[in-house]
Amino acid sequence: MEATIAITEAEHKKTKPDPETLQFGKTFTDHMFTMEYTEEKGWIYPEIKPYAPVEIDPAAMVFHYSQSVFEGLKAYKGPEGDIILFRPEENFKRMNRSNRRLRIPPINEELVLDYLRQLLELEKDWVPSAEGTSLYIRPFVIATEPSLQVAPARSYKFLIILSPVGSYYPEGIHPVSIMVEDHFTRAARGGTGTAKTGGNYSSGYTAQSKASSEGHAQVLWLDGVEKKYIEEVGSMNVFFKIDGEIVTPELNDSILEGITRKSVIELLEYWNIPVVEKRITMQEILKAYDEGRLEEAFGSGTAAVISPIGELHWKEHTLIVNGRDTGETTKSLYQTLTSIQTGKEDDPFNWTTKIKL
Amino acid sequence: MEATIAITEAEHKKTKPDPETLQFGKTFTDHMFTMEYTEEKGWIYPEIKPYAPVEIDPAAMVFHYSQSVFEGLKAYKGPEGDIILFRPEENFKRMNRSNRRLRIPPINEELVLDYLRQLLELEKDWVPSAEGTSLYIRPFVIATEPSLQVAPARSYKFLIILSPVGSYYPEGIHPVSIMVEDHFTRAARGGTGTAKTGGNYSSGYTAQSKASSEGHAQVLWLDGVEKKYIEEVGSMNVFFKIDGEIVTPELNDSILEGITRKSVIELLEYWNIPVVEKRITMQEILKAYDEGRLEEAFGSGTAAVISPIGELHWKEHTLIVNGRDTGETTKSLYQTLTSIQTGKEDDPFNWTTKIKL
């Protein structure tokens, strides 16, 4: 599908940043994609234009009631110079699931993927090629109707912005320390935890700040009801290897359905490594640890792909996982996923979408 | 305190709307107040200027992670032509409590109240005087730093916008039907429920839509843990009169600390009507109803002040409260609070702040 779209090129192009010093999500490319939604006309005015501030009414509902959703995915420069996307159709499917939860009108997933393709073609020189680098893609929807009524908006803006990002592991993949959060809650049963909506993120700042001040990289969230069951790590899904079997919390309405999580499960099944989705208590992890059966632990997400966990801190307990080394399965998953994502390895799953230039 | 502030008057003034046809939060006045926050300088550039769209970077963190807080209060035209505010210092205190939860830097409450006073002096002709009308005041803070990192922003914008609003009860105060929500959760223990932050509002749209489609005005939220304890009604606090005693859910970290709620409790104590804050289950309300002891029920909030509840729908039960009539205590609270707010009755509590013109 080739979707028609208005394109205005930037007159002055920015200087590309040094890939060595790139920080996550701080530098943006020359162009962005925008479209509008009105109740009468649906999604209209698809447009690629110079990256610039947007003009928004101060009464726009996104400012007051946070009616918004977002997605995050990465584009890599392939070995033959093409641009490789990893399961992008999954991101737009999930965006529509988030839209439904937040009462935002659905987008046309195929059309939006084509808009993204056209934006990436224009911004092809922004996709970095150094080891570990990529172009981070942020599609998002915000409620723009100027109204203070507590109700779904009647107008929205959809945007895609692009940010070149450096390697998540400039000094090589290394395990991190995680604090299990006993007081604060990320998401509750019946809440918005499965949706990628802003409110799930700023609500975690206090817990993250507590963890950081105690020297931990991330928070491990427990369920909002009993504070017993493991949900997520920071903004990643979480996996444990116990007695050779990989376990991960089963999806419920407070866990984000990660695309990397899904790929990890599919890859493990392909490798014939047993993988189980179930409710897991922190107590079970502690027991496995005490009995010497906790072999590995890692998080999965778009930013880090795979993030090994070296320490878990829960109440008075400290669990040192695999002697603070990256485990074998963790390492294989990271290697294989990043090699498929960057086109260095065959893609038996047909996960990647290649944009030929 | 007279705070120094840059004022730019609008060249063209808007036509004031007919107070008969005003909808809540749809019309805005000629001017707004804005100030900025930077890590280096704190809150700077306080300014009153023409109401207009704001220019914001598409990467502004408020769009992605909903780091925002807001307040809501009303200004009334007093009998002597002055402008009356109801406990405005409580709103800015609460804004700072919300700020703390969302990791937003605190505002100077006294200064901000003076900025509001200056804005209201300029917009004095926008305060409507017809019965039941008022000027709704919406102070809010949004994270403006352009960054996709999941972390508190380093720059913010604080704004105050004003909207003339019509009577909440153009045909007189009347009881509404409420649906008790059994599945969806407004806020969980350890979540952000006590903070006035956007994420708590859009997360309720699905439940509200379900309630509306079944002919109910609002949702009654139960606790996120056991789905047993009563928390709030829509965006109001809730009260019940049982055996002559008024009961309301005690504050916890998932209930918003309403300023009208606080005023209702203080007024009842002043009247020597017994009032108790405690955990209340929906089962207890049903039992009281079945035994003929549930005398009245009402919500409290800035928009409606007091909103009588005529019906409660919970699972297979329908509770008709006081024959769908507004109860005596409900009526007295509404009369007294609105009379104090509009300056028609003495204010023995010193709740009101008068701006002489």
Side-chain angles (χ1 to χ4, degrees):
Chain A
M1 183 188 312
E2 169 84 24
T4 309
I5 177 173
I7 298 180
T8 310
E9 278 208 44
E11 283 187 29
H12 303 283
K13 302 283 162 67
K14 299 175 192 170
T15 307
K16 310 269 184 310
D18 176 0
E20 295 291 312
T21 60
L22 279 174
Q23 280 187 286
F24 179 79
K26 295 279 186 187
T27 308
F28 299 92
T29 67
D30 293 310
H31 300 88
M32 61 185 183
F33 172 83
T34 67
M35 64 178 178
E36 313 285 329
Y37 178 90
T38 71
E39 228 174 17
E40 301 74 33
K41 300 188 175 172
W43 287 107
I44 47 169
Y45 310 136
E47 194 179 356
I48 289 172
K49 56 188 176 188
Y51 184 97
V54 287
E55 281 212 339
I56 301 201
D57 196 287
M61 291 166 116
V62 64
F63 294 142
H64 303 273
Y65 310 125
S66 300
Q67 197 191 8
S68 64
V69 299
F70 71 92
E71 272 301 328
L73 67 159
K74 285 175 172 176
Y76 298 89
K77 186 64 68 80
E80 287 143 43
D82 43 3
I83 296 173
I84 306 179
L85 296 173
F86 186 71
R87 313 186 83 172
E89 61 288 349
E90 294 287 339
N91 289 93
F92 294 116
K93 263 190 220 167
R94 184 170 63 186
M95 181 174 258
N96 268 341
R97 291 199 297 274
S98 300
N99 282 338
R100 195 171 312 123
R101 181 63 183 87
L102 272 292
R103 311 285 299 176
I104 294 173
I107 52 162
N108 180 323
E109 296 162 23
E110 274 180 61
L111 261 182
V112 164
L113 188 50
D114 190 71
Y115 297 147
L116 171 60
R117 182 187 57 72
Q118 293 190 52
L119 179 62
L120 288 171
E121 280 175 8
L122 185 65
E123 299 291 62
K124 59 181 186 295
D125 295 341
W126 278 95
V127 185
S129 54
E131 177 71 25
T133 63
S134 60
L135 185 67
Y136 183 80
I137 300 163
R138 170 55 57 91
F140 62 107
V141 181
I142 54 176
T144 52
E145 189 192 349
S147 166
L148 301 181
Q149 296 191 357
V150 181
R154 289 176 300 185
S155 59
Y156 298 88
K157 197 185 259 289
F158 171 102
L159 300 96
I160 304 176
I161 56 176
L162 306 173
S163 173
V165 296
S167 176
Y168 196 85
Y169 296 112
E171 289 143 27
I173 186 167
H174 63 91
V176 295
S177 175
I178 299 289
M179 189 197 74
V180 180
E181 174 57 50
D182 255 336
H183 173 70
F184 291 109
T185 301
R186 175 186 170 274
R189 190 172 59 191
T192 56
T194 45
K196 229 168 153 62
T197 184
N200 294 340
Y201 292 79
S202 52
S203 60
Y205 291 169
T206 305
Q208 177 59 44
S209 153
K210 194 170 74 171
S212 301
S213 71
E214 293 172 17
H216 309 297
Q218 299 259 2
V219 157
L220 184 147
W221 298 106
L222 299 176
D223 73 285
V225 174
E226 301 180 61
K227 289 281 173 218
K228 268 172 66 177
Y229 297 99
I230 292 172
E231 299 233 314
E232 300 189 19
V233 164
S235 49
M236 295 187 286
N237 294 112
V238 65
F239 292 81
F240 300 91
K241 188 176 177 185
I242 299 173
D243 283 334
E245 181 182 75
I246 310 283
V247 293
T248 190
E250 68 182 7
L251 295 176
N252 60 27
D253 76 346
S254 53
I255 292 180
L256 188 84
E257 195 177 341
I259 295 161
T260 313
R261 173 188 184 278
K262 185 176 179 172
S263 307
V264 163
I265 294 171
E266 290 170 29
L267 196 49
L268 289 167
E269 286 169 346
Y270 182 76
W271 287 342
N272 287 314
I273 294 177
V275 53
V276 178
E277 300 173 66
K278 63 175 184 184
R279 291 188 88 180
I280 313 161
T281 62
M282 196 52 216
Q283 192 61 47
E284 287 173 69
I285 298 297
L286 180 63
K287 186 164 180 287
Y289 176 76
D290 284 340
E291 295 169 1
R293 298 183 295 113
L294 177 61
E295 295 159 9
E296 303 185 30
F298 60 91
S300 73
T302 295
V305 186
I306 297 292
S307 176
I309 295 171
E311 292 178 29
L312 279 163
H313 296 261
W314 181 45
K315 296 177 176 169
E316 70 278 20
H317 310 287
T318 298
L319 290 66
I320 309 292
V321 186
N322 195 38
R324 291 194 192 83
D325 273 344
T326 305
E328 283 312 309
T329 308
T330 306
K331 211 177 286 174
S332 303
L333 285 165
Y334 179 74
Q335 283 303 339
T336 304
L337 284 171
T338 53
S339 298
I340 292 175
Q341 286 171 339
T342 54
K344 286 185 197 128
E345 199 170 294
D346 276 353
D347 172 14
F349 307 97
N350 211 11
W351 281 339
T352 51
T353 294
K354 289 197 170 101
I355 302 173
K356 303 265 178 233
L357 298 170
Chain B
M1 184 187 312
E2 169 83 21
T4 309
I5 178 173
I7 299 179
T8 311
E9 279 208 44
E11 283 187 29
H12 302 284
K13 303 283 162 67
K14 300 174 190 169
T15 308
K16 310 270 184 309
D18 175 0
E20 295 291 311
T21 60
L22 279 174
Q23 280 187 285
F24 178 80
K26 295 278 186 188
T27 307
F28 299 91
T29 68
D30 292 310
H31 300 89
M32 62 184 182
F33 172 83
T34 68
M35 63 179 178
E36 312 286 329
Y37 177 90
T38 70
E39 227 174 18
E40 302 73 33
K41 300 188 174 170
W43 287 108
I44 48 169
Y45 310 135
E47 193 181 356
I48 289 172
K49 56 189 176 188
Y51 183 97
V54 287
E55 281 213 339
I56 301 201
D57 196 286
M61 289 166 116
V62 64
F63 294 142
H64 304 273
Y65 309 126
S66 299
Q67 197 191 5
S68 65
V69 299
F70 72 91
E71 274 300 328
L73 66 159
K74 285 175 172 176
Y76 298 89
K77 186 63 67 80
E80 287 142 44
D82 42 6
I83 296 173
I84 306 179
L85 296 174
F86 186 71
R87 313 187 84 172
E89 62 289 347
E90 294 287 338
N91 290 92
F92 294 116
K93 262 189 221 168
R94 185 171 63 185
M95 180 174 258
N96 268 341
R97 291 198 297 273
S98 300
N99 282 337
R100 195 171 312 124
R101 182 65 182 85
L102 271 293
R103 311 285 301 174
I104 293 174
I107 52 162
N108 180 321
E109 295 162 23
E110 274 181 62
L111 262 183
V112 164
L113 188 50
D114 190 72
Y115 297 146
L116 171 60
R117 182 188 57 74
Q118 294 190 51
L119 179 63
L120 288 171
E121 279 176 8
L122 185 65
E123 299 292 62
K124 60 183 186 294
D125 295 340
W126 278 94
V127 185
S129 54
E131 177 72 25
T133 63
S134 60
L135 186 66
Y136 182 79
I137 300 164
R138 169 56 58 92
F140 62 108
V141 181
I142 54 175
T144 52
E145 188 191 351
S147 165
L148 301 181
Q149 297 191 355
V150 181
R154 289 175 300 184
S155 59
Y156 297 87
K157 197 184 260 292
F158 171 102
L159 300 95
I160 304 175
I161 57 176
L162 306 173
S163 173
V165 296
S167 176
Y168 197 86
Y169 297 111
E171 287 143 29
I173 185 167
H174 63 91
V176 294
S177 175
I178 300 289
M179 187 197 74
V180 181
E181 175 57 49
D182 256 334
H183 173 70
F184 291 109
T185 301
R186 176 187 168 274
R189 189 173 60 191
T192 55
T194 45
K196 228 167 155 63
T197 184
N200 295 340
Y201 293 78
S202 52
S203 60
Y205 291 169
T206 306
Q208 176 59 42
S209 154
K210 194 170 77 173
S212 301
S213 71
E214 293 173 17
H216 310 296
Q218 299 258 3
V219 156
L220 184 145
W221 297 107
L222 299 177
D223 74 286
V225 174
E226 301 180 59
K227 290 280 173 218
K228 268 171 66 178
Y229 297 99
I230 292 171
E231 299 233 315
E232 300 189 21
V233 165
S235 49
M236 295 187 287
N237 294 111
V238 65
F239 292 80
F240 300 91
K241 188 175 177 186
I242 298 173
D243 283 335
E245 181 183 76
I246 309 284
V247 293
T248 190
E250 68 182 7
L251 296 176
N252 59 27
D253 74 348
S254 53
I255 292 179
L256 189 84
E257 195 176 340
I259 295 162
T260 313
R261 175 188 182 279
K262 186 176 180 172
S263 307
V264 163
I265 293 171
E266 289 170 27
L267 195 51
L268 290 167
E269 285 169 347
Y270 181 77
W271 286 342
N272 288 315
I273 295 178
V275 53
V276 177
E277 301 172 68
K278 63 175 185 186
R279 292 187 87 179
I280 312 160
T281 62
M282 196 51 216
Q283 192 60 48
E284 287 174 67
I285 298 297
L286 179 64
K287 185 164 181 284
Y289 176 76
D290 284 341
E291 295 170 1
R293 299 183 293 114
L294 177 62
E295 295 159 10
E296 303 184 32
F298 60 92
S300 72
T302 295
V305 186
I306 298 292
S307 177
I309 295 171
E311 292 179 30
L312 277 162
H313 297 261
W314 181 46
K315 296 177 174 167
E316 70 278 20
H317 311 286
T318 297
L319 291 66
I320 309 291
V321 186
N322 196 38
R324 292 196 192 82
D325 273 345
T326 305
E328 283 313 310
T329 308
T330 307
K331 211 177 287 175
S332 303
L333 285 165
Y334 178 75
Q335 284 303 340
T336 304
L337 283 171
T338 53
S339 298
I340 291 174
Q341 287 171 340
T342 54
K344 285 185 197 130
E345 199 171 294
D346 277 352
D347 171 13
F349 307 97
N350 210 12
W351 281 338
T352 51
T353 294
K354 291 199 169 99
I355 302 172
K356 305 262 178 233
L357 298 171

